[in-house]
Amino acid sequence: MAVAIAVVRAGWRYARPVGWKPGGGPGQSRAGLSGAASRWPGAASKGAPRLLGVAALALGGVLGIGHTVWGRLKSQEQLAKQAVPELAEGRLQLTLYQYKTCPFCSKVRAFLDFHALPYEVVEVNPVRRQEIKFSSYRKVPILLAQEGELLQLNDSSVIISALKTYLLSGKNLEEIISYYPPMKAVNDQGKEVTEFNNKYWLMLNEKESRRLYSGKEARTEEMKWRQWADDRLVHLISPNVYRTPAEALASFDYIVHEGKFGAIEGAVAKYVGAAAMFIISKRLKSRYHMQDDVREDLYQAANQWVAAVGKDRPFMGGKEPNLADLAVYGVLRVMEGLEAFEDMMCHTQIGPWYLRVEKAIAKAQGNY
């Protein structure tokens, strides 16, 4: 069951293909919506019979087990050796290794797009992860940056902080990376993890800070909500997109469609992964002390963010999105097209802010 285990590992971190545009995926348009929320089509019928979803999961699980061993052997024959790409010399060259549907990767892409930084994307197979075999750090996103020497940046918040510091300070990127040293730690589940010191800090002098922030309060606010996006908002995604068997299947259908899966892996991922994540989502619900209806936690978080932004400014950053705006947007974007996203838009006030960030990113890219 190595494939199934790897699919669960990948599915834990992502829920929906980011970068998806309205009308770009299967599903029927939502009726009865008005205003900003009406732009998102639905991806799954809310009336899907629970019994049908359970039956599909069970059938898929049986088929997946039957194909796993053969699929694993077949995939080994097809693996091509992946080397670190050679990047052109000159200006800063960026290559992002990602799962397209990972909220942490979505955060990085939102930052890169808003700052109009060109970058190449390498989609990582979540089962074999052959594309990142060059790295001892085995999570995504990974960003390779070259402006002479090739450098590797790990962790989404470190990537964002380091690049923002680079853009504002003119410091050498290698020096900037040294300000975010990795540290081994043991999490609440007793598992050793790699943490990064200072990851929400921008390494700026006083003059540079004044140019970016209106005051110390603005800097503190940005850091607080960036951390909130990582520590709270991200953990609401899986319990909501895998809330029912039908929603779990819809989520993994998109994951398989957008991810880098082979035909056999895709079949296993859709059914075995959906079944596993449906079960795991219930554990996550308990671990993060969510309500019986996890939608209520999602609504509460969305409204909490809207209240923090306030009515007197379009973004938390003022006239333009700051790093907290981009982080929250990046995390939420992975749910686009799924039932959880539609429900959030219908039952909270986050829609207008979300559209403003989307418009700001499109404008920065020259697409608006």
Side-chain angles (χ1 to χ4, degrees):
M1 294 301 293
V3 174
I5 293 171
V7 165
V8 171
R9 179 181 61 233
W12 189 295
R13 301 196 64 198
Y14 61 79
R16 166 71 176 87
V18 292
W20 177 90
K21 297 298 181 183
Q28 47 189 306
S29 298
R30 183 179 66 216
L33 298 183
S34 60
S38 65
R39 62 186 290 287
W40 289 282
S45 170
K46 296 184 180 180
R50 182 182 179 89
L51 182 59
L52 180 60
V54 173
L57 289 174
L59 176 61
V62 172
L63 293 174
I65 293 172
H67 284 295
T68 297
V69 176
W70 181 85
R72 181 68 174 176
L73 293 175
K74 183 73 173 177
S75 66
Q76 293 297 330
E77 297 175 1
Q78 297 173 342
L79 285 179
K81 292 186 177 180
Q82 177 80 21
V84 177
E86 294 184 5
L87 303 177
E89 295 182 1
R91 62 184 175 82
L92 187 65
Q93 305 287 316
L94 302 174
T95 302
L96 177 65
Y97 290 78
Q98 67 159 21
Y99 303 143
K100 189 175 182 182
T101 49
C102 164
F104 297 102
C105 299
S106 178
K107 280 171 46 187
V108 173
R109 287 201 315 278
F111 171 85
L112 295 173
D113 291 340
F114 178 70
H115 290 85
L117 293 171
Y119 59 99
E120 300 293 329
V121 171
V122 176
E123 189 70 19
V124 176
N125 182 293
V127 178
R128 299 186 298 267
R129 294 186 291 175
Q130 183 77 357
E131 295 80 5
I132 56 173
K133 70 175 186 178
F134 62 84
S135 174
S136 59
Y137 183 81
R138 302 298 291 169
K139 296 181 180 180
V140 292
I142 292 173
L143 187 75
L144 295 186
Q146 185 172 22
E147 195 183 38
E149 183 179 355
L150 184 63
L151 302 171
Q152 179 175 329
L153 291 80
N154 305 320
D155 185 272
S156 62
S157 292
V158 170
I159 291 170
I160 292 168
S161 293
L163 287 181
K164 187 68 172 182
T165 299
Y166 174 83
L167 293 174
L168 292 171
S169 70
K171 292 186 179 76
N172 178 276
L173 187 58
E174 184 175 11
E175 176 189 351
I176 293 171
I177 295 173
S178 70
Y179 300 149
Y180 304 98
M183 178 181 66
K184 295 293 184 182
V186 177
N187 64 17
D188 295 338
Q189 290 74 52
K191 181 180 178 181
E192 184 177 82
V193 295
T194 300
E195 298 290 349
F196 293 86
N197 291 325
N198 311 318
K199 65 181 181 179
Y200 301 110
W201 278 91
L202 302 187
M203 302 304 173
L204 306 174
N205 60 35
E206 187 174 344
K207 182 179 179 180
E208 293 159 349
S209 292
R210 285 199 305 267
R211 199 169 73 211
L212 180 62
Y213 300 110
S214 59
K216 292 183 178 179
E217 295 79 7
R219 182 173 187 165
T220 301
E221 180 184 51
E222 180 185 75
M223 293 171 60
K224 170 188 172 181
W225 288 97
R226 287 181 67 194
Q227 184 170 0
W228 176 83
D230 286 352
D231 292 348
R232 177 58 177 169
L233 188 60
V234 163
H235 298 306
L236 299 177
I237 303 298
S238 289
N240 273 279
V241 301
Y242 303 119
R243 185 181 62 154
T244 66
E247 287 181 275
L249 278 171
S251 296
F252 263 89
D253 186 53
Y254 276 110
I255 288 171
V256 170
H257 182 266
E258 295 293 332
K260 189 175 182 179
F261 290 92
I264 300 300
E265 288 175 338
V268 174
K270 179 176 179 179
Y271 294 103
V272 178
M277 287 308 301
F278 171 71
I279 296 171
I280 290 173
S281 69
K282 306 307 176 187
R283 298 177 185 172
L284 294 176
K285 171 184 170 182
S286 175
R287 178 181 302 169
Y288 295 107
H289 310 291
M290 297 181 195
Q291 301 176 56
D292 289 338
D293 183 358
V294 293
R295 282 290 196 273
E296 294 301 323
D297 293 274
L298 181 63
Y299 301 158
Q300 185 180 63
N303 286 327
Q304 185 181 1
W305 169 252
V306 172
V309 174
K311 298 180 179 180
D312 298 328
R313 53 183 179 176
F315 308 103
M316 181 167 282
K319 294 181 180 180
E320 291 188 344
N322 66 7
L323 299 184
D325 287 293
L326 296 173
V328 173
Y329 171 82
V331 170
L332 293 178
R333 182 171 58 174
V334 300
M335 296 191 299
E336 267 198 20
L338 295 179
E339 186 177 331
F341 186 84
E342 295 180 15
D343 288 346
M344 180 182 69
M345 289 296 166
C346 284
H347 295 93
T348 75
Q349 302 300 313
I350 204 169
W353 167 86
Y354 189 93
L355 286 175
R356 287 194 295 269
V357 179
E358 183 177 68
K359 179 179 176 180
I361 292 175
K363 184 177 179 180
Q365 293 181 289
N367 295 330
Y368 183 82

